[in-house]
Amino acid sequence: MTEKIIVANWKQNMNLEASLAWLNKLEIADFKDKKIVLCPPLLLLFHLKEKIDSIGLPIVLGAQDFPRWESGSHTGEIPAELLAGYIEYALVGHSERRLGNGEREDVLVEKVRVAKANGVEPIFCISESQQSIPDGVQIVAYEPISAIGTGESESPTKVYDLARELKTDGAEKVLYGGSVTPENVNEFTSKDSIDGVLVGKASLDPVSFSQIVRNV
Ligand code: PGA
């Protein structure tokens, strides 16, 4: 079986105390065929990396976004190299950023380029099959807007068909996101073309996230 990727996207939730408690309550083994990626708010990355390294948890960190520039006179932006010191993956193009922050395709192309140049693997999110995918993207996450945070996940068969199409067009791995729960996760990940999941709400609770990881 190829490795499945399980991403926790905490969005704009959690604080330092709650995030450290979350790590302590996680109940996961060191699965050889599962990669767990935690995307917390940026300010928590430093503390979480220290904690993960010190207790040897089998999880890696990701960012919920990545800068579009390397460094320089961009007030409010974080240097790409600095961020890359903490993370292995970065979400790029999440629909909440496309819609809420007006991120256009040209910006997303730059984010993918800068992430790759700094050794960070972008997880490129699309909410519709027609959205274009920048060159160099290997991991695509399909997250229909109707399924995000609604409790109404997409049909696994539809995701499976789309994943096969995306792979024909060059994607190496395809993840699904949108109302993933411990109960429904396996309907997606048991299909060979679906390489993992991106989990929002259900990732905030360490018990349900651990269950999702186990059920993949
Ligand atoms: P959800 O969010 O699991 O709460 O639907 C998924 C996402 O937006 O990545």
Side-chain angles (χ1 to χ4, degrees), residues 9 11 91 94-96 125 143 147-151 177-180 198-203:
N9 176 13
K11 307 190 180 182
L91 304 181
H94 192 286
S95 58
E96 287 159 8
C125 305
E143 298 200 300
I148 295 182
T150 59
S179 298
V180 171
L198 181 43
V199 190
K201 206 194 252 162
S203 75

PDB file of all heavy atoms in Angstrom, residues 9 11 91 94-96 125 143 147-151 177-180 198-203, ligand 1:
ATOM      1  N   ASN A   9      -5.733  20.657   9.481  1.00  0.00           N
ATOM      2  CA  ASN A   9      -5.718  22.098   9.197  1.00  0.00           C
ATOM      3  C   ASN A   9      -6.499  22.799  10.307  1.00  0.00           C
ATOM      4  O   ASN A   9      -7.723  22.807  10.305  1.00  0.00           O
ATOM      5  CB  ASN A   9      -6.373  22.340   7.818  1.00  0.00           C
ATOM      6  CG  ASN A   9      -6.485  23.815   7.483  1.00  0.00           C
ATOM      7  OD1 ASN A   9      -5.883  24.668   8.144  1.00  0.00           O
ATOM      8  ND2 ASN A   9      -7.254  24.116   6.450  1.00  0.00           N
ATOM      9  N   LYS A  11      -6.683  25.895  10.937  1.00  0.00           N
ATOM     10  CA  LYS A  11      -7.200  27.220  10.548  1.00  0.00           C
ATOM     11  C   LYS A  11      -6.880  28.250  11.635  1.00  0.00           C
ATOM     12  O   LYS A  11      -5.820  28.172  12.256  1.00  0.00           O
ATOM     13  CB  LYS A  11      -8.696  27.133  10.221  1.00  0.00           C
ATOM     14  CG  LYS A  11      -8.979  26.033   9.182  1.00  0.00           C
ATOM     15  CD  LYS A  11     -10.367  26.041   8.639  1.00  0.00           C
ATOM     16  CE  LYS A  11     -10.525  24.910   7.631  1.00  0.00           C
ATOM     17  NZ  LYS A  11     -11.833  24.873   7.011  1.00  0.00           N
ATOM     18  N   LEU A  91       0.034  24.381   2.681  1.00  0.00           N
ATOM     19  CA  LEU A  91      -1.193  24.469   1.889  1.00  0.00           C
ATOM     20  C   LEU A  91      -1.077  25.720   1.023  1.00  0.00           C
ATOM     21  O   LEU A  91      -0.617  26.762   1.497  1.00  0.00           O
ATOM     22  CB  LEU A  91      -2.422  24.614   2.799  1.00  0.00           C
ATOM     23  CG  LEU A  91      -2.639  23.542   3.871  1.00  0.00           C
ATOM     24  CD1 LEU A  91      -3.913  23.848   4.657  1.00  0.00           C
ATOM     25  CD2 LEU A  91      -2.729  22.157   3.230  1.00  0.00           C
ATOM     26  N   HIS A  94      -5.950  27.363  -0.625  1.00  0.00           N
ATOM     27  CA  HIS A  94      -7.179  26.941   0.067  1.00  0.00           C
ATOM     28  C   HIS A  94      -8.313  27.906  -0.302  1.00  0.00           C
ATOM     29  O   HIS A  94      -8.088  29.115  -0.417  1.00  0.00           O
ATOM     30  CB  HIS A  94      -6.951  26.948   1.588  1.00  0.00           C
ATOM     31  CG  HIS A  94      -8.057  26.255   2.333  1.00  0.00           C
ATOM     32  ND1 HIS A  94      -9.296  26.829   2.503  1.00  0.00           N
ATOM     33  CD2 HIS A  94      -8.121  25.046   2.927  1.00  0.00           C
ATOM     34  CE1 HIS A  94     -10.073  25.990   3.178  1.00  0.00           C
ATOM     35  NE2 HIS A  94      -9.376  24.897   3.447  1.00  0.00           N
ATOM     36  N   SER A  95      -9.511  27.384  -0.463  1.00  0.00           N
ATOM     37  CA  SER A  95     -10.617  28.242  -0.931  1.00  0.00           C
ATOM     38  C   SER A  95     -10.883  29.398   0.026  1.00  0.00           C
ATOM     39  O   SER A  95     -11.337  30.465  -0.392  1.00  0.00           O
ATOM     40  CB  SER A  95     -11.881  27.412  -1.138  1.00  0.00           C
ATOM     41  OG  SER A  95     -12.246  26.763   0.059  1.00  0.00           O
ATOM     42  N   GLU A  96     -10.591  29.193   1.320  1.00  0.00           N
ATOM     43  CA  GLU A  96     -10.808  30.292   2.269  1.00  0.00           C
ATOM     44  C   GLU A  96      -9.838  31.441   2.005  1.00  0.00           C
ATOM     45  O   GLU A  96     -10.141  32.598   2.297  1.00  0.00           O
ATOM     46  CB  GLU A  96     -10.697  29.772   3.711  1.00  0.00           C
ATOM     47  CG  GLU A  96     -11.923  28.945   4.073  1.00  0.00           C
ATOM     48  CD  GLU A  96     -11.732  27.992   5.241  1.00  0.00           C
ATOM     49  OE1 GLU A  96     -10.682  28.047   5.904  1.00  0.00           O
ATOM     50  OE2 GLU A  96     -12.637  27.167   5.468  1.00  0.00           O
ATOM     51  N   CYS A 125      -4.554  23.312  -3.159  1.00  0.00           N
ATOM     52  CA  CYS A 125      -5.991  23.057  -2.962  1.00  0.00           C
ATOM     53  C   CYS A 125      -6.809  23.597  -4.128  1.00  0.00           C
ATOM     54  O   CYS A 125      -6.621  24.739  -4.551  1.00  0.00           O
ATOM     55  CB  CYS A 125      -6.470  23.727  -1.682  1.00  0.00           C
ATOM     56  SG  CYS A 125      -5.527  23.251  -0.225  1.00  0.00           S
ATOM     57  N   GLU A 143     -11.118  19.966  -2.545  1.00  0.00           N
ATOM     58  CA  GLU A 143     -12.007  20.321  -1.437  1.00  0.00           C
ATOM     59  C   GLU A 143     -13.181  21.145  -1.969  1.00  0.00           C
ATOM     60  O   GLU A 143     -13.084  22.383  -2.047  1.00  0.00           O
ATOM     61  CB  GLU A 143     -11.256  21.188  -0.417  1.00  0.00           C
ATOM     62  CG  GLU A 143     -10.081  20.541   0.230  1.00  0.00           C
ATOM     63  CD  GLU A 143      -9.734  21.264   1.521  1.00  0.00           C
ATOM     64  OE1 GLU A 143      -9.431  22.465   1.479  1.00  0.00           O
ATOM     65  OE2 GLU A 143      -9.810  20.633   2.581  1.00  0.00           O
ATOM     66  N   ALA A 147     -18.616  21.159   0.684  1.00  0.00           N
ATOM     67  CA  ALA A 147     -18.313  20.129   1.692  1.00  0.00           C
ATOM     68  C   ALA A 147     -17.506  20.682   2.869  1.00  0.00           C
ATOM     69  O   ALA A 147     -17.398  20.022   3.906  1.00  0.00           O
ATOM     70  CB  ALA A 147     -17.537  18.986   1.037  1.00  0.00           C
ATOM     71  N   ILE A 148     -16.960  21.878   2.730  1.00  0.00           N
ATOM     72  CA  ILE A 148     -16.072  22.393   3.793  1.00  0.00           C
ATOM     73  C   ILE A 148     -16.896  22.904   4.972  1.00  0.00           C
ATOM     74  O   ILE A 148     -17.687  23.839   4.834  1.00  0.00           O
ATOM     75  CB  ILE A 148     -15.146  23.509   3.257  1.00  0.00           C
ATOM     76  CG1 ILE A 148     -14.196  22.918   2.215  1.00  0.00           C
ATOM     77  CG2 ILE A 148     -14.357  24.149   4.400  1.00  0.00           C
ATOM     78  CD1 ILE A 148     -13.200  23.900   1.643  1.00  0.00           C
ATOM     79  N   GLY A 149     -16.704  22.245   6.093  1.00  0.00           N
ATOM     80  CA  GLY A 149     -17.341  22.674   7.338  1.00  0.00           C
ATOM     81  C   GLY A 149     -18.854  22.517   7.374  1.00  0.00           C
ATOM     82  O   GLY A 149     -19.519  23.072   8.247  1.00  0.00           O
ATOM     83  N   THR A 150     -19.420  21.774   6.430  1.00  0.00           N
ATOM     84  CA  THR A 150     -20.885  21.687   6.350  1.00  0.00           C
ATOM     85  C   THR A 150     -21.442  20.371   6.886  1.00  0.00           C
ATOM     86  O   THR A 150     -22.642  20.234   7.066  1.00  0.00           O
ATOM     87  CB  THR A 150     -21.354  21.807   4.880  1.00  0.00           C
ATOM     88  OG1 THR A 150     -20.732  20.742   4.138  1.00  0.00           O
ATOM     89  CG2 THR A 150     -20.977  23.142   4.284  1.00  0.00           C
ATOM     90  N   GLY A 151     -20.572  19.381   7.059  1.00  0.00           N
ATOM     91  CA  GLY A 151     -21.071  18.057   7.443  1.00  0.00           C
ATOM     92  C   GLY A 151     -21.564  17.269   6.240  1.00  0.00           C
ATOM     93  O   GLY A 151     -22.037  16.142   6.370  1.00  0.00           O
ATOM     94  N   GLY A 177     -10.621  16.739   0.884  1.00  0.00           N
ATOM     95  CA  GLY A 177     -10.969  17.485   2.095  1.00  0.00           C
ATOM     96  C   GLY A 177     -12.382  17.992   2.028  1.00  0.00           C
ATOM     97  O   GLY A 177     -12.904  18.331   0.953  1.00  0.00           O
ATOM     98  N   GLY A 178     -13.050  18.049   3.193  1.00  0.00           N
ATOM     99  CA  GLY A 178     -14.422  18.538   3.270  1.00  0.00           C
ATOM    100  C   GLY A 178     -15.246  17.620   4.139  1.00  0.00           C
ATOM    101  O   GLY A 178     -15.661  16.548   3.707  1.00  0.00           O
ATOM    102  N   SER A 179     -15.416  18.041   5.431  1.00  0.00           N
ATOM    103  CA  SER A 179     -16.240  17.272   6.372  1.00  0.00           C
ATOM    104  C   SER A 179     -15.777  15.830   6.539  1.00  0.00           C
ATOM    105  O   SER A 179     -16.602  14.909   6.599  1.00  0.00           O
ATOM    106  CB  SER A 179     -17.719  17.341   5.974  1.00  0.00           C
ATOM    107  OG  SER A 179     -18.166  18.684   6.030  1.00  0.00           O
ATOM    108  N   VAL A 180     -14.465  15.644   6.586  1.00  0.00           N
ATOM    109  CA  VAL A 180     -13.932  14.308   6.865  1.00  0.00           C
ATOM    110  C   VAL A 180     -14.098  14.028   8.358  1.00  0.00           C
ATOM    111  O   VAL A 180     -13.841  14.899   9.203  1.00  0.00           O
ATOM    112  CB  VAL A 180     -12.436  14.216   6.463  1.00  0.00           C
ATOM    113  CG1 VAL A 180     -11.813  12.919   6.949  1.00  0.00           C
ATOM    114  CG2 VAL A 180     -12.289  14.359   4.950  1.00  0.00           C
ATOM    115  N   LEU A 198      -7.536  15.915   4.004  1.00  0.00           N
ATOM    116  CA  LEU A 198      -7.246  17.206   4.629  1.00  0.00           C
ATOM    117  C   LEU A 198      -8.421  17.448   5.577  1.00  0.00           C
ATOM    118  O   LEU A 198      -9.577  17.494   5.151  1.00  0.00           O
ATOM    119  CB  LEU A 198      -7.173  18.248   3.505  1.00  0.00           C
ATOM    120  CG  LEU A 198      -6.858  19.693   3.771  1.00  0.00           C
ATOM    121  CD1 LEU A 198      -5.736  19.846   4.773  1.00  0.00           C
ATOM    122  CD2 LEU A 198      -6.455  20.364   2.465  1.00  0.00           C
ATOM    123  N   VAL A 199      -8.099  17.564   6.858  1.00  0.00           N
ATOM    124  CA  VAL A 199      -9.158  17.583   7.870  1.00  0.00           C
ATOM    125  C   VAL A 199      -9.171  18.918   8.603  1.00  0.00           C
ATOM    126  O   VAL A 199      -8.157  19.319   9.178  1.00  0.00           O
ATOM    127  CB  VAL A 199      -8.937  16.451   8.910  1.00  0.00           C
ATOM    128  CG1 VAL A 199     -10.148  16.319   9.816  1.00  0.00           C
ATOM    129  CG2 VAL A 199      -8.614  15.138   8.233  1.00  0.00           C
ATOM    130  N   GLY A 200     -10.314  19.594   8.588  1.00  0.00           N
ATOM    131  CA  GLY A 200     -10.446  20.859   9.302  1.00  0.00           C
ATOM    132  C   GLY A 200     -11.023  20.631  10.679  1.00  0.00           C
ATOM    133  O   GLY A 200     -10.321  20.267  11.629  1.00  0.00           O
ATOM    134  N   LYS A 201     -12.328  20.817  10.793  1.00  0.00           N
ATOM    135  CA  LYS A 201     -13.009  20.786  12.094  1.00  0.00           C
ATOM    136  C   LYS A 201     -12.658  19.569  12.955  1.00  0.00           C
ATOM    137  O   LYS A 201     -12.327  19.703  14.139  1.00  0.00           O
ATOM    138  CB  LYS A 201     -14.522  20.842  11.842  1.00  0.00           C
ATOM    139  CG  LYS A 201     -15.303  21.438  12.991  1.00  0.00           C
ATOM    140  CD  LYS A 201     -16.774  21.141  12.810  1.00  0.00           C
ATOM    141  CE  LYS A 201     -17.546  22.371  12.426  1.00  0.00           C
ATOM    142  NZ  LYS A 201     -18.852  22.067  11.850  1.00  0.00           N
ATOM    143  N   ALA A 202     -12.704  18.384  12.359  1.00  0.00           N
ATOM    144  CA  ALA A 202     -12.477  17.163  13.151  1.00  0.00           C
ATOM    145  C   ALA A 202     -11.021  17.021  13.601  1.00  0.00           C
ATOM    146  O   ALA A 202     -10.710  16.153  14.411  1.00  0.00           O
ATOM    147  CB  ALA A 202     -12.909  15.926  12.356  1.00  0.00           C
ATOM    148  N   SER A 203     -10.143  17.893  13.101  1.00  0.00           N
ATOM    149  CA  SER A 203      -8.746  17.802  13.551  1.00  0.00           C
ATOM    150  C   SER A 203      -8.522  18.578  14.848  1.00  0.00           C
ATOM    151  O   SER A 203      -7.466  18.445  15.471  1.00  0.00           O
ATOM    152  CB  SER A 203      -7.797  18.319  12.466  1.00  0.00           C
ATOM    153  OG  SER A 203      -7.828  19.729  12.386  1.00  0.00           O
TER     154      SER A 203
HETATM  155  P1  PGA B   1     -13.572  20.681   7.290  1.00  0.00           P
HETATM  156  O1  PGA B   1     -12.466  21.621   6.586  1.00  0.00           O
HETATM  157  O2  PGA B   1     -12.907  19.356   7.566  1.00  0.00           O
HETATM  158  O3  PGA B   1     -13.944  21.427   8.539  1.00  0.00           O
HETATM  159  O4  PGA B   1     -14.683  20.549   6.336  1.00  0.00           O
HETATM  160  C1  PGA B   1     -11.589  21.120   5.614  1.00  0.00           C
HETATM  161  C2  PGA B   1     -10.703  22.216   5.105  1.00  0.00           C
HETATM  162  O5  PGA B   1     -11.165  23.352   4.914  1.00  0.00           O
HETATM  163  O6  PGA B   1      -9.497  21.999   4.866  1.00  0.00           O
END
